[in-house]
Protein backbone atom coordinates (compact mmCIF):
# COMPACT_ATOMS: atom_id res chain seq x y z
CA UNK A 1 0.00 0.00 0.00
CA UNK A 2 1.44 3.43 -0.90
CA UNK A 3 2.04 6.20 1.64
CA UNK A 4 -0.47 9.02 1.85
CA UNK A 5 2.49 11.35 1.27
CA UNK A 6 3.75 10.15 -2.11
CA UNK A 7 7.10 11.93 -1.74
CA UNK A 8 7.84 9.47 1.09
CA UNK A 9 7.43 6.57 -1.36
CA UNK A 10 9.61 8.34 -3.91
CA UNK A 11 12.38 8.78 -1.34
CA UNK A 12 12.21 5.16 -0.20
CA UNK A 13 12.23 3.92 -3.78
CA UNK A 14 15.16 6.14 -4.65
CA UNK A 15 17.19 4.66 -1.81
CA UNK A 16 16.34 1.10 -2.81
CA UNK A 17 17.18 1.88 -6.43
CA UNK A 18 20.62 3.07 -5.30
CA UNK A 19 21.09 -0.19 -3.39
CA UNK A 20 20.16 -2.15 -6.52
CA UNK A 21 22.63 -0.10 -8.53
CA UNK A 22 25.36 -0.75 -5.95
CA UNK A 23 24.51 -4.46 -5.95
CA UNK A 24 24.70 -4.67 -9.74
CA UNK A 25 28.01 -2.86 -9.72
CA UNK A 26 29.47 -5.07 -6.98
CA UNK A 27 28.47 -8.17 -8.94
CA UNK A 28 30.06 -6.80 -12.08
CA UNK A 29 33.30 -5.82 -10.36
CA UNK A 30 33.58 -9.26 -8.80
CA UNK A 31 32.95 -10.95 -12.17
CA UNK A 32 35.54 -8.78 -13.91
CA UNK A 33 38.11 -9.19 -11.14
CA UNK A 34 37.76 -12.96 -11.52
CA UNK A 35 38.06 -12.64 -15.27
CA UNK A 36 41.24 -10.60 -14.81
CA UNK A 37 42.66 -13.41 -12.64
CA UNK A 38 41.56 -16.11 -15.08
CA UNK A 39 42.66 -14.41 -18.32
CA UNK A 40 45.71 -12.75 -16.72
CA UNK A 41 44.35 -9.43 -17.95
CA UNK A 42 46.01 -6.52 -16.14
CA UNK A 43 44.15 -3.87 -18.15
CA UNK A 44 40.78 -5.27 -17.07
CA UNK A 45 42.03 -5.35 -13.48
CA UNK A 46 42.89 -1.65 -13.73
CA UNK A 47 39.36 -0.88 -14.91
CA UNK A 48 37.92 -2.73 -11.90
CA UNK A 49 40.10 -0.67 -9.57
CA UNK A 50 38.91 2.56 -11.20
CA UNK A 51 35.24 1.63 -11.13
CA UNK A 52 35.18 0.80 -7.44
CA UNK A 53 35.00 4.56 -6.81
CA UNK A 54 31.44 4.62 -8.10
CA UNK A 55 30.34 2.17 -5.37
CA UNK A 56 31.94 4.42 -2.76
CA UNK A 57 30.00 7.39 -4.13
CA UNK A 58 26.74 5.45 -4.09
CA UNK A 59 27.32 4.44 -0.49
CA UNK A 60 27.60 8.10 0.49
CA UNK A 61 24.46 8.92 -1.49
CA UNK A 62 22.50 6.18 0.29
CA UNK A 63 23.79 7.35 3.66
CA UNK A 64 22.81 10.95 3.04
CA UNK A 65 19.39 10.09 1.66
CA UNK A 66 18.63 7.70 4.52
CA UNK A 67 19.76 10.17 7.19
CA UNK A 68 17.64 12.86 5.62
CA UNK A 69 14.60 10.61 5.37
CA UNK A 70 14.89 9.59 9.02
CA UNK A 71 15.17 13.24 10.06
CA UNK A 72 12.35 14.54 7.89
CA UNK A 73 9.79 11.75 7.85
CA UNK A 74 10.30 9.75 11.03
CA UNK A 75 9.82 6.33 9.41
CA UNK A 76 8.23 3.60 11.53
CA UNK A 77 7.96 -0.18 11.56
CA UNK A 78 8.78 -1.76 8.19
CA UNK A 79 9.78 1.57 6.62
CA UNK A 80 12.28 2.00 9.43
CA UNK A 81 13.58 -1.53 8.96
CA UNK A 82 13.96 -0.97 5.20
CA UNK A 83 16.02 2.15 5.88
CA UNK A 84 18.22 0.72 8.61
CA UNK A 85 18.84 -2.27 6.35
CA UNK A 86 19.62 0.00 3.40
CA UNK A 87 22.32 1.68 5.48
CA UNK A 88 23.83 -1.64 6.50
CA UNK A 89 23.54 -3.23 3.05
CA UNK A 90 25.16 -0.24 1.37
CA UNK A 91 28.13 -0.51 3.73
CA UNK A 92 28.30 -4.24 3.04
CA UNK A 93 28.22 -3.72 -0.73
CA UNK A 94 30.90 -1.08 -0.43
CA UNK A 95 33.06 -3.64 1.41
CA UNK A 96 32.38 -6.21 -1.31
CA UNK A 97 33.48 -3.63 -3.89
CA UNK A 98 36.70 -3.08 -1.93
CA UNK A 99 37.39 -6.80 -1.81
CA UNK A 100 36.76 -7.12 -5.57
CA UNK A 101 39.17 -4.23 -6.08
CA UNK A 102 41.72 -5.99 -3.91
CA UNK A 103 41.34 -9.15 -6.01
CA UNK A 104 41.96 -7.04 -9.11
CA UNK A 105 45.13 -5.54 -7.58
CA UNK A 106 46.42 -9.00 -6.78
CA UNK A 107 45.52 -10.16 -10.29
CA UNK A 108 47.95 -7.56 -11.63
CA UNK A 109 50.73 -8.95 -9.42
CA UNK A 110 49.90 -12.54 -10.37
CA UNK A 111 50.11 -11.79 -14.12
CA UNK A 112 53.74 -10.79 -13.64
CA UNK A 113 54.52 -14.35 -12.57
CA UNK A 114 54.11 -17.61 -14.42
CA UNK A 115 50.68 -19.27 -14.57
CA UNK A 116 49.58 -20.91 -11.30
CA UNK A 117 48.11 -24.37 -11.34
CA UNK A 118 45.35 -23.66 -8.88
CA UNK A 119 43.83 -20.74 -10.78
CA UNK A 120 40.91 -22.83 -11.99
CA UNK A 121 39.99 -23.83 -8.40
CA UNK A 122 40.05 -20.16 -7.37
CA UNK A 123 37.85 -19.29 -10.33
CA UNK A 124 35.42 -22.05 -9.37
CA UNK A 125 35.24 -20.71 -5.84
CA UNK A 126 34.81 -17.23 -7.27
CA UNK A 127 31.88 -18.33 -9.45
CA UNK A 128 30.15 -19.83 -6.40
CA UNK A 129 30.65 -16.61 -4.45
CA UNK A 130 29.36 -14.64 -7.40
CA UNK A 131 26.26 -16.85 -7.67
CA UNK A 132 25.61 -16.41 -3.94
CA UNK A 133 25.88 -12.62 -4.25
CA UNK A 134 23.64 -12.53 -7.28
CA UNK A 135 20.99 -14.69 -5.57
CA UNK A 136 20.96 -12.64 -2.39
CA UNK A 137 20.53 -9.44 -4.39
CA UNK A 138 17.59 -11.00 -6.20
CA UNK A 139 16.18 -12.06 -2.84
CA UNK A 140 16.54 -8.47 -1.63
CA UNK A 141 14.70 -7.05 -4.64
CA UNK A 142 11.96 -9.69 -4.42
CA UNK A 143 11.86 -9.56 -0.58
CA UNK A 144 12.13 -13.35 -0.74
CA UNK A 145 12.98 -14.60 2.75
CA UNK A 146 13.25 -18.25 1.73
CA UNK A 147 15.74 -17.49 -1.02
CA UNK A 148 17.74 -15.28 1.38
CA UNK A 149 17.89 -18.03 4.01
CA UNK A 150 18.96 -20.55 1.35
CA UNK A 151 21.91 -18.32 0.40
CA UNK A 152 22.75 -17.90 4.09
CA UNK A 153 22.88 -21.66 4.59
CA UNK A 154 24.87 -22.34 1.44
CA UNK A 155 27.76 -20.09 2.50
CA UNK A 156 29.28 -23.12 4.22
CA UNK A 157 30.12 -24.45 0.74
CA UNK A 158 32.22 -21.35 0.01
CA UNK A 159 33.93 -21.81 3.39
CA UNK A 160 34.75 -25.41 2.54
CA UNK A 161 36.14 -24.44 -0.87
CA UNK A 162 38.32 -21.89 0.86
CA UNK A 163 39.63 -24.47 3.33
CA UNK A 164 40.43 -26.90 0.53
CA UNK A 165 42.22 -24.18 -1.44
CA UNK A 166 44.16 -23.12 1.61
CA UNK A 167 45.57 -26.63 2.06
CA UNK A 168 46.29 -27.05 -1.64
CA UNK A 169 48.06 -23.71 -1.94
CA UNK A 170 50.22 -24.48 1.09
CA UNK A 171 51.22 -27.83 -0.36
CA UNK A 172 51.92 -26.24 -3.72
CA UNK A 173 54.14 -23.54 -2.22
CA UNK A 174 56.07 -26.11 -0.18
CA UNK A 175 56.73 -28.14 -3.31
CA UNK A 176 58.07 -25.21 -5.30
CA UNK A 177 59.34 -22.18 -3.41
CA UNK A 178 59.42 -20.09 -6.62
CA UNK A 179 55.65 -20.12 -6.48
CA UNK A 180 55.43 -18.56 -3.04
CA UNK A 181 54.82 -15.00 -4.23
CA UNK A 182 52.03 -15.95 -6.62
CA UNK A 183 50.70 -18.54 -4.16
CA UNK A 184 50.50 -15.97 -1.36
CA UNK A 185 48.57 -13.63 -3.67
CA UNK A 186 46.24 -16.50 -4.50
CA UNK A 187 45.72 -17.17 -0.81
CA UNK A 188 44.63 -13.58 -0.32
CA UNK A 189 42.34 -13.77 -3.32
CA UNK A 190 40.71 -16.89 -1.85
CA UNK A 191 40.42 -15.18 1.51
CA UNK A 192 38.78 -12.15 -0.15
CA UNK A 193 36.25 -14.44 -1.83
CA UNK A 194 35.52 -16.10 1.49
CA UNK A 195 34.95 -12.66 3.04
CA UNK A 196 32.60 -11.71 0.19
CA UNK A 197 30.68 -14.90 1.01
CA UNK A 198 30.33 -13.76 4.61
CA UNK A 199 29.16 -10.29 3.54
CA UNK A 200 26.61 -11.99 1.32
CA UNK A 201 25.14 -13.79 4.33
CA UNK A 202 24.86 -10.42 6.06
CA UNK A 203 22.63 -9.22 3.22
CA UNK A 204 20.54 -12.40 3.71
CA UNK A 205 20.14 -11.42 7.34
CA UNK A 206 18.98 -7.95 6.35
CA UNK A 207 16.36 -9.34 3.94
CA UNK A 208 15.09 -11.54 6.75
CA UNK A 209 15.03 -8.62 9.19
CA UNK A 210 13.09 -6.39 6.79
CA UNK A 211 10.42 -9.03 6.31
CA UNK A 212 10.19 -10.59 9.76
CA UNK A 213 11.24 -7.75 12.07
CA UNK A 214 13.61 -9.98 14.00
CA UNK A 215 17.20 -11.14 13.52
CA UNK A 216 17.91 -14.36 11.65
CA UNK A 217 20.22 -15.45 14.44
CA UNK A 218 23.86 -16.46 14.31
CA UNK A 219 23.79 -20.25 14.19
CA UNK A 220 24.67 -20.22 10.53
CA UNK A 221 26.48 -23.35 9.29
CA UNK A 222 30.15 -22.42 8.94
CA UNK A 223 33.18 -24.25 7.63
CA UNK A 224 35.84 -24.89 10.29
CA UNK A 225 38.71 -22.49 9.63
CA UNK A 226 41.99 -24.21 8.86
CA UNK A 227 45.46 -23.01 9.66
CA UNK A 228 44.48 -21.77 13.10
CA UNK A 229 45.48 -24.97 14.85
CA UNK A 230 49.16 -25.89 14.96
CA UNK A 231 49.32 -28.52 12.23
CA UNK B 1 23.28 4.02 27.65
CA UNK B 2 20.75 3.08 25.00
CA UNK B 3 20.29 -0.24 26.72
CA UNK B 4 19.29 1.42 29.96
CA UNK B 5 16.81 3.63 28.18
CA UNK B 6 15.39 0.69 26.27
CA UNK B 7 15.09 -1.31 29.47
CA UNK B 8 13.20 1.56 30.99
CA UNK B 9 10.84 1.56 28.03
CA UNK B 10 9.69 -1.91 28.98
CA UNK B 11 6.72 -1.82 31.32
CA UNK B 12 8.10 -2.84 34.67
CA UNK B 13 4.93 -2.95 36.70
CA UNK B 14 2.75 -5.77 35.65
CA UNK B 15 -0.17 -5.10 38.02
CA UNK B 16 -3.38 -4.13 36.30
CA UNK B 17 -4.81 -0.83 37.46
CA UNK B 18 -7.79 -0.88 35.15
CA UNK B 19 -9.32 -3.87 33.38
CA UNK B 20 -11.82 -3.24 30.61
CA UNK B 21 -13.83 -6.23 29.44
CA UNK B 22 -16.02 -6.31 26.33
CA UNK B 23 -16.81 -2.59 26.54
CA UNK B 24 -19.39 -1.33 24.05
CA UNK B 25 -20.40 2.33 23.83
CA UNK B 26 -23.44 3.50 21.89
CA UNK B 27 -24.39 7.06 20.99
CA UNK B 28 -28.08 6.44 20.30
CA UNK B 29 -28.12 3.70 17.68
CA UNK B 30 -24.53 4.30 16.66
CA UNK B 31 -22.02 1.86 18.16
CA UNK B 32 -18.83 3.84 18.79
CA UNK B 33 -16.89 1.19 20.72
CA UNK B 34 -17.34 -2.40 19.65
CA UNK B 35 -16.16 -4.69 22.39
CA UNK B 36 -12.86 -3.44 23.76
CA UNK B 37 -10.69 -5.44 26.16
CA UNK B 38 -7.71 -3.54 27.51
CA UNK B 39 -5.66 -3.82 30.69
CA UNK B 40 -4.13 -0.56 31.88
CA UNK B 41 -1.03 -1.30 33.96
CA UNK B 42 -0.24 0.53 37.16
CA UNK B 43 2.57 3.11 37.09
CA UNK B 44 2.79 2.90 33.33
CA UNK B 45 2.08 5.31 30.50
CA UNK B 46 -0.38 3.81 28.03
CA UNK B 47 -0.95 5.55 24.71
CA UNK B 48 -4.08 5.25 22.59
CA UNK B 49 -3.47 5.98 18.93
CA UNK B 50 -5.69 5.70 15.88
CA UNK B 51 -7.33 7.79 13.18
CA UNK B 52 -10.00 10.39 14.01
CA UNK B 53 -13.32 8.84 14.96
CA UNK B 54 -11.77 5.49 15.89
CA UNK B 55 -13.16 5.69 19.44
CA UNK B 56 -9.98 6.32 21.41
CA UNK B 57 -11.29 9.48 23.12
CA UNK B 58 -14.69 7.88 23.71
CA UNK B 59 -13.00 4.95 25.38
CA UNK B 60 -10.76 7.22 27.43
CA UNK B 61 -13.82 9.08 28.68
CA UNK B 62 -15.36 5.78 29.82
CA UNK B 63 -12.52 5.39 32.29
CA UNK B 64 -13.74 8.21 34.51
CA UNK B 65 -17.39 8.13 33.42
CA UNK B 66 -17.23 11.40 31.52
CA UNK B 67 -19.64 9.85 29.02
CA UNK B 68 -22.35 9.75 31.71
CA UNK B 69 -23.01 13.41 31.02
CA UNK B 70 -23.78 12.81 27.34
CA UNK B 71 -27.44 12.23 26.48
CA UNK B 72 -28.16 9.00 24.64
CA UNK B 73 -24.79 7.51 25.51
CA UNK B 74 -25.03 3.92 26.71
CA UNK B 75 -22.21 1.71 27.92
CA UNK B 76 -22.16 -2.07 28.30
CA UNK B 77 -19.43 -4.41 29.47
CA UNK B 78 -17.25 -4.00 32.50
CA UNK B 79 -14.55 -1.59 33.60
CA UNK B 80 -12.79 -2.58 36.80
CA UNK B 81 -10.42 -0.35 38.72
CA UNK B 82 -8.40 -2.28 41.30
CA UNK B 83 -10.97 -5.03 40.79
CA UNK B 84 -14.04 -2.86 41.50
CA UNK B 85 -16.63 -2.07 38.85
CA UNK B 86 -16.55 1.71 38.30
CA UNK B 87 -20.05 1.57 36.80
CA UNK B 88 -21.52 -0.07 39.94
CA UNK B 89 -24.49 1.75 41.49
CA UNK B 90 -22.55 2.40 44.67
CA UNK B 91 -19.87 4.41 42.86
CA UNK B 92 -20.18 8.19 42.97
CA UNK B 93 -18.86 9.54 39.65
CA UNK B 94 -17.58 12.68 41.38
CA UNK B 95 -15.51 10.62 43.80
CA UNK B 96 -14.34 8.45 40.89
CA UNK B 97 -13.13 11.53 39.02
CA UNK B 98 -11.05 12.57 42.02
CA UNK B 99 -9.26 9.24 41.67
CA UNK B 100 -9.18 9.34 37.87
CA UNK B 101 -8.07 12.83 36.86
CA UNK B 102 -8.32 14.24 33.38
CA UNK B 103 -6.47 16.78 31.27
CA UNK B 104 -8.05 17.98 28.05
CA UNK B 105 -6.84 19.02 24.65
CA UNK B 106 -7.34 22.74 25.21
CA UNK B 107 -6.09 24.17 28.47
CA UNK B 108 -9.21 25.09 30.45
CA UNK B 109 -8.22 26.81 33.69
CA UNK B 110 -11.08 28.05 35.86
CA UNK B 111 -11.57 31.83 35.74
CA UNK B 112 -9.95 32.00 39.15
CA UNK B 113 -6.50 32.67 40.50
CA UNK B 114 -3.66 30.24 39.85
CA UNK B 115 -3.80 29.25 43.52
CA UNK B 116 -7.55 28.61 43.49
CA UNK B 117 -7.35 26.57 40.32
CA UNK B 118 -5.12 24.06 42.08
CA UNK B 119 -6.82 24.38 45.48
CA UNK B 120 -10.28 23.75 44.05
CA UNK B 121 -10.16 19.94 43.98
CA UNK B 122 -8.59 19.39 47.41
CA UNK B 123 -11.14 21.87 48.87
CA UNK B 124 -14.32 20.34 47.44
CA UNK B 125 -13.17 16.81 48.19
CA UNK B 126 -12.21 17.84 51.71
CA UNK B 127 -8.69 16.48 51.33
CA UNK B 128 -7.11 19.14 53.55
CA UNK B 129 -8.10 20.51 56.93
CA UNK B 130 -6.28 23.84 57.14
CA UNK B 131 -4.72 26.60 55.07
CA UNK B 132 -1.15 25.46 55.69
CA UNK B 133 -1.90 21.98 54.34
CA UNK B 134 -3.66 23.47 51.35
CA UNK B 135 -0.68 25.75 50.65
CA UNK B 136 1.52 22.70 50.74
CA UNK B 137 -0.68 20.74 48.32
CA UNK B 138 -0.81 23.69 45.92
CA UNK B 139 2.95 24.17 45.96
CA UNK B 140 3.65 20.45 45.60
CA UNK B 141 1.23 20.11 42.68
CA UNK B 142 2.63 23.16 40.90
CA UNK B 143 6.16 21.87 41.43
CA UNK B 144 5.33 18.43 40.07
CA UNK B 145 3.68 20.03 37.05
CA UNK B 146 6.91 21.96 36.47
CA UNK B 147 5.26 25.37 36.67
CA UNK B 148 6.08 26.42 40.24
CA UNK B 149 9.00 28.65 39.26
CA UNK B 150 6.90 30.54 36.76
CA UNK B 151 3.82 30.77 38.98
CA UNK B 152 5.11 31.21 42.52
CA UNK B 153 5.22 35.01 42.39
CA UNK B 154 1.79 35.39 40.81
CA UNK B 155 -0.35 32.85 42.63
CA UNK B 156 -3.18 35.34 43.02
CA UNK B 157 -3.28 36.35 39.38
CA UNK B 158 -5.88 34.70 37.14
CA UNK B 159 -4.86 31.36 35.63
CA UNK B 160 -6.18 32.51 32.29
CA UNK B 161 -3.39 35.10 32.17
CA UNK B 162 -0.74 32.41 31.67
CA UNK B 163 0.57 31.32 28.28
CA UNK B 164 -0.97 28.27 26.60
CA UNK B 165 1.80 25.91 27.70
CA UNK B 166 1.72 27.30 31.23
CA UNK B 167 -2.08 26.98 31.35
CA UNK B 168 -1.81 23.34 30.32
CA UNK B 169 0.73 22.66 33.04
CA UNK B 170 -1.58 24.49 35.47
CA UNK B 171 -4.40 22.15 34.41
CA UNK B 172 -2.11 19.19 35.06
CA UNK B 173 -1.26 20.63 38.49
CA UNK B 174 -4.99 20.96 39.13
CA UNK B 175 -5.56 17.35 38.01
CA UNK B 176 -2.84 15.93 40.25
CA UNK B 177 -3.75 18.06 43.30
CA UNK B 178 -6.42 15.55 44.32
CA UNK B 179 -3.75 12.81 44.32
CA UNK B 180 -5.41 10.73 41.62
CA UNK B 181 -4.43 7.14 40.91
CA UNK B 182 -4.94 7.42 37.19
CA UNK B 183 -4.42 10.45 34.96
CA UNK B 184 -6.24 10.58 31.63
CA UNK B 185 -4.88 12.95 29.02
CA UNK B 186 -6.78 13.67 25.85
CA UNK B 187 -4.27 15.15 23.40
CA UNK B 188 -2.67 17.31 26.07
CA UNK B 189 -0.05 18.81 23.77
CA UNK B 190 -1.93 19.47 20.56
CA UNK B 191 -2.23 23.19 21.31
CA UNK B 192 1.33 23.60 22.53
CA UNK B 193 4.66 24.56 21.00
CA UNK B 194 7.54 22.03 20.92
CA UNK B 195 9.19 23.38 24.09
CA UNK B 196 5.99 23.23 26.13
CA UNK B 197 5.32 19.80 24.61
CA UNK B 198 8.73 18.56 25.72
CA UNK B 199 8.07 19.91 29.23
CA UNK B 200 4.73 18.09 29.40
CA UNK B 201 6.33 14.89 28.10
CA UNK B 202 9.05 15.14 30.72
CA UNK B 203 6.31 15.63 33.29
CA UNK B 204 4.38 12.57 32.06
CA UNK B 205 7.55 10.51 32.41
CA UNK B 206 7.96 11.80 35.96
CA UNK B 207 4.30 11.25 36.89
CA UNK B 208 4.32 7.59 36.02
CA UNK B 209 6.39 6.87 39.10
CA UNK B 210 3.18 7.55 41.06
CA UNK B 211 0.23 7.11 38.67
CA UNK B 212 -1.00 5.25 35.71
CA UNK B 213 -1.15 7.70 32.82
CA UNK B 214 -3.36 7.10 29.79
CA UNK B 215 -2.76 9.46 26.90
CA UNK B 216 -4.67 9.88 23.67
CA UNK B 217 -2.49 11.41 21.01
CA UNK B 218 -2.49 11.99 17.28
CA UNK B 219 1.26 12.32 17.30
CA UNK B 220 2.73 8.88 16.78
CA UNK B 221 6.14 10.21 17.73
CA UNK B 222 4.70 11.42 21.00
CA UNK B 223 3.13 8.03 21.72
CA UNK B 224 6.48 6.40 20.93
CA UNK B 225 8.37 8.85 23.15
CA UNK B 226 6.24 8.84 26.28
CA UNK B 227 4.49 5.49 26.55
CA UNK B 228 5.45 1.97 27.52
CA UNK B 229 2.26 0.38 26.18
CA UNK B 230 0.37 1.39 23.05
CA UNK B 231 -3.12 0.46 21.88
CA UNK B 232 -4.09 1.03 18.26
CA UNK B 233 -7.81 1.79 17.84
CA UNK B 234 -9.56 1.40 14.53
CA UNK B 235 -13.30 1.75 13.86
CA UNK B 236 -14.21 1.27 17.52
CA UNK B 237 -12.01 -1.77 18.10
CA UNK B 238 -8.55 -2.29 19.51
CA UNK B 239 -6.63 -3.77 16.60
CA UNK B 240 -3.41 -4.22 18.50
CA UNK B 241 -2.19 -3.65 22.04
CA UNK B 242 1.43 -4.31 22.95
CA UNK B 243 4.68 -2.89 24.29
CA UNK B 244 5.38 0.46 22.62
CA UNK B 245 8.77 -0.49 21.11
CA UNK B 246 7.14 -3.56 19.54
CA UNK B 247 4.25 -1.55 18.07
CA UNK B 248 6.59 0.95 16.45
CA UNK B 249 9.25 -1.41 15.13
CA UNK B 250 7.43 -4.62 14.35
CA UNK B 251 3.64 -4.51 14.72
CA UNK B 252 1.76 -7.76 14.22
CA UNK B 253 -1.34 -6.36 12.59
CA UNK B 254 -1.04 -5.07 8.99
CA UNK B 255 -3.56 -2.31 9.83
CA UNK B 256 -1.31 -1.04 12.62
CA UNK B 257 1.62 -1.16 10.23
CA UNK B 258 -0.29 0.84 7.61
CA UNK B 259 -1.41 3.43 10.14
CA UNK B 260 1.90 4.09 11.87
CA UNK B 261 3.84 4.20 8.61
CA UNK B 262 1.45 6.76 7.19
CA UNK B 263 -0.33 4.54 4.69
CA UNK B 264 -3.78 4.78 6.20
CA UNK B 265 -5.60 7.64 7.81
Amino acid sequence: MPHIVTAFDDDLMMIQARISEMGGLAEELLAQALEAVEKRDAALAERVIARDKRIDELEIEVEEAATQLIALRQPMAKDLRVLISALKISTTLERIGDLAKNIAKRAIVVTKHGPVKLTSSIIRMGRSTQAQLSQVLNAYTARDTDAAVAVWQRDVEVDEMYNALFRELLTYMMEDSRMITAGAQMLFIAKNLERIGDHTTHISEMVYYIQKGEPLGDDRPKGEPVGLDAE
Amino acid sequence: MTNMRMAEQAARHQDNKIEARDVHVYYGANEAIKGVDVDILDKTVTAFIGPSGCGKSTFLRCLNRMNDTIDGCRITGQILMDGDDIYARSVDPVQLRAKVGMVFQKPNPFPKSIYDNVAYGPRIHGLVSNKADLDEVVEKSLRRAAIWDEAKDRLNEPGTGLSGGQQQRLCIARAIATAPEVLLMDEPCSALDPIATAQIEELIDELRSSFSVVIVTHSMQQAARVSQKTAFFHLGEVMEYDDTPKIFTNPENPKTQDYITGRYG
Side-chain angles (χ1 to χ4, degrees):
Chain A
M1 193 192 258
H3 283 97
I4 298 163
V5 179
T6 50
F8 194 161
D9 285 324
D10 296 345
D11 291 349
L12 268 180
M13 270 159 66
M14 188 278 273
I15 288 171
Q16 290 174 89
R18 291 285 180 281
I19 295 283
S20 297
E21 192 184 342
M22 283 183 85
L25 205 51
E27 263 184 280
E28 218 179 298
L29 292 187
L30 176 58
Q32 289 177 348
L34 287 170
E35 202 184 324
V37 174
E38 188 177 19
K39 306 246 172 82
R40 306 172 58 76
D41 184 344
L44 180 58
E46 293 288 359
R47 285 204 294 282
V48 170
I49 294 165
R51 287 188 68 202
D52 176 56
K53 287 197 181 65
R54 177 65 189 145
I55 296 197
D56 298 354
E57 285 165 14
L58 282 166
E59 188 202 6
I60 292 167
E61 278 180 41
V62 168
E63 247 179 51
E64 284 176 354
T67 309
Q68 196 173 334
L69 204 147
I70 289 170
L72 301 185
R73 302 201 188 275
Q74 292 92 42
M76 295 282 194
K78 195 169 176 182
D79 295 338
L80 181 62
R81 304 203 300 269
V82 165
L83 271 177
I84 298 294
S85 303
L87 280 172
K88 296 179 88 169
I89 292 175
S90 71
T91 305
T92 304
L93 288 170
E94 191 271 332
R95 293 294 305 139
I96 292 176
D98 282 352
L99 291 166
K101 180 172 78 175
N102 190 272
I103 293 173
K105 282 182 179 167
R106 293 181 191 283
I108 294 171
V109 180
V110 171
T111 45
K112 291 177 182 150
H113 293 77
V116 182
K117 244 193 277 173
L118 280 169
T119 304
S120 61
S121 305
I122 295 255
I123 298 302
R124 211 174 313 122
M125 179 183 175
R127 299 268 181 263
S128 296
T129 315
Q130 212 186 320
Q132 288 277 87
L133 177 61
S134 155
Q135 281 161 22
V136 86
L137 290 169
N138 290 340
Y140 172 73
T141 313
R143 297 272 188 270
D144 185 340
T145 316
D146 292 341
V149 173
V151 169
W152 188 74
Q153 281 168 335
R154 264 200 312 273
D155 181 58
V156 67
E157 292 171 18
V158 175
D159 289 353
E160 279 160 5
M161 284 173 153
Y162 170 69
N163 289 340
L165 262 169
F166 186 91
R167 287 176 200 282
E168 284 180 59
L169 279 165
L170 279 192
T171 315
Y172 192 55
M173 287 189 278
M174 280 190 278
E175 276 172 6
D176 185 350
S177 60
R178 285 168 304 169
M179 283 296 151
I180 286 178
T181 311
Q185 296 299 340
M186 286 304 202
L187 263 184
F188 276 113
I189 291 174
K191 182 66 196 168
N192 285 345
L193 291 171
E194 190 270 335
R195 291 298 303 143
I196 291 176
D198 287 347
H199 286 312
T200 301
T201 66
H202 184 242
I203 301 176
S204 296
E205 287 162 9
M206 289 300 106
V207 174
Y208 189 91
Y209 172 67
I210 291 172
Q211 290 304 100
K212 308 272 186 182
E214 51 193 50
L216 180 52
D218 60 355
D219 53 349
R220 175 166 64 85
K222 290 184 180 105
E224 282 303 309
V226 292
L228 295 181
D229 44 346
E231 281 181 90
Chain B
M1 185 202 82
T2 41
N3 269 344
M4 282 174 62
R5 188 60 203 170
M6 288 294 182
E8 215 196 331
Q9 279 269 1
R12 277 176 298 188
H13 301 267
Q14 295 303 318
D15 312 329
N16 287 340
K17 184 69 188 171
I18 295 177
E19 296 168 18
R21 290 289 171 269
D22 194 29
V23 173
H24 294 254
V25 179
Y26 304 85
Y27 292 119
N30 177 27
E31 189 178 13
I33 299 283
K34 301 167 183 170
V36 164
D37 294 84
V38 164
D39 291 336
I40 307 289
L41 300 181
D42 198 13
K43 296 185 169 51
T44 298
V45 180
T46 305
F48 291 171
I49 59 169
S52 293
C54 67
K56 56 192 187 300
S57 290
T58 296
F59 183 73
L60 187 78
R61 294 161 62 89
C62 290
L63 301 180
N64 69 346
R65 294 184 56 172
M66 290 291 285
N67 290 329
D68 289 16
T69 57
I70 297 170
D71 284 341
C73 181
R74 191 162 59 81
I75 297 158
T76 67
Q78 229 184 7
I79 299 177
L80 306 178
M81 188 167 136
D82 295 326
D84 299 325
D85 186 353
I86 65 167
Y87 281 89
R89 263 173 215 289
S90 55
V91 173
D92 173 4
V94 176
Q95 289 302 324
L96 174 71
R97 286 173 207 143
K99 274 166 63 175
V100 185
M102 190 151 186
V103 175
F104 299 86
Q105 183 170 359
K106 264 182 69 180
N108 54 353
F110 300 135
K112 293 168 178 288
S113 70
I114 293 172
Y115 184 96
D116 286 338
N117 262 280
V118 183
Y120 186 81
R123 266 191 197 127
I124 62 160
H125 289 292
L127 301 178
V128 286
S129 49
N130 57 53
K131 177 79 169 85
D133 285 354
L134 188 59
D135 285 352
E136 197 188 319
V137 168
V138 169
E139 178 176 339
K140 205 173 130 214
S141 304
L142 288 168
R143 276 191 191 281
R144 292 200 72 182
I147 189 172
W148 174 251
D149 289 339
E150 290 145 273
K152 65 176 188 284
D153 298 323
R154 48 198 287 200
L155 290 174
N156 294 316
E157 290 174 31
T160 47
L162 296 168
S163 77
Q166 289 170 333
Q167 285 187 24
Q168 192 65 313
R169 278 178 283 147
L170 175 62
C171 292
I172 293 173
R174 184 179 66 189
I176 61 183
T178 56
E181 294 163 28
V182 179
L183 190 61
L184 308 179
M185 303 181 115
D186 194 350
E187 296 206 47
C189 300
S190 62
L192 304 184
D193 75 10
I195 302 294
T197 299
Q199 284 165 336
I200 304 268
E201 287 178 4
E202 174 63 19
L203 172 63
I204 291 172
D205 206 43
E206 201 266 315
L207 291 179
R208 82 177 157 96
S209 59
S210 340
F211 323 134
S212 241
V213 180
V214 187
I215 177 170
V216 164
T217 174
H218 271 137
S219 161
M220 244 102 55
Q221 274 69 40
Q222 180 168 62
R225 285 192 302 261
V226 303
S227 72
Q228 290 78 50
K229 299 288 268 188
T230 297
F232 170 56
F233 281 73
H234 178 60
L235 299 174
E237 289 175 75
V238 171
M239 304 305 293
E240 188 163 353
Y241 178 50
D242 212 327
D243 292 335
T244 299
K246 165 92 172 127
I247 293 274
F248 288 100
T249 56
N250 192 15
E252 298 285 335
N253 192 312
K255 284 220 165 62
T256 316
Q257 165 90 21
D258 286 344
Y259 181 69
I260 63 168
T261 58
R263 289 176 167 83
Y264 169 87

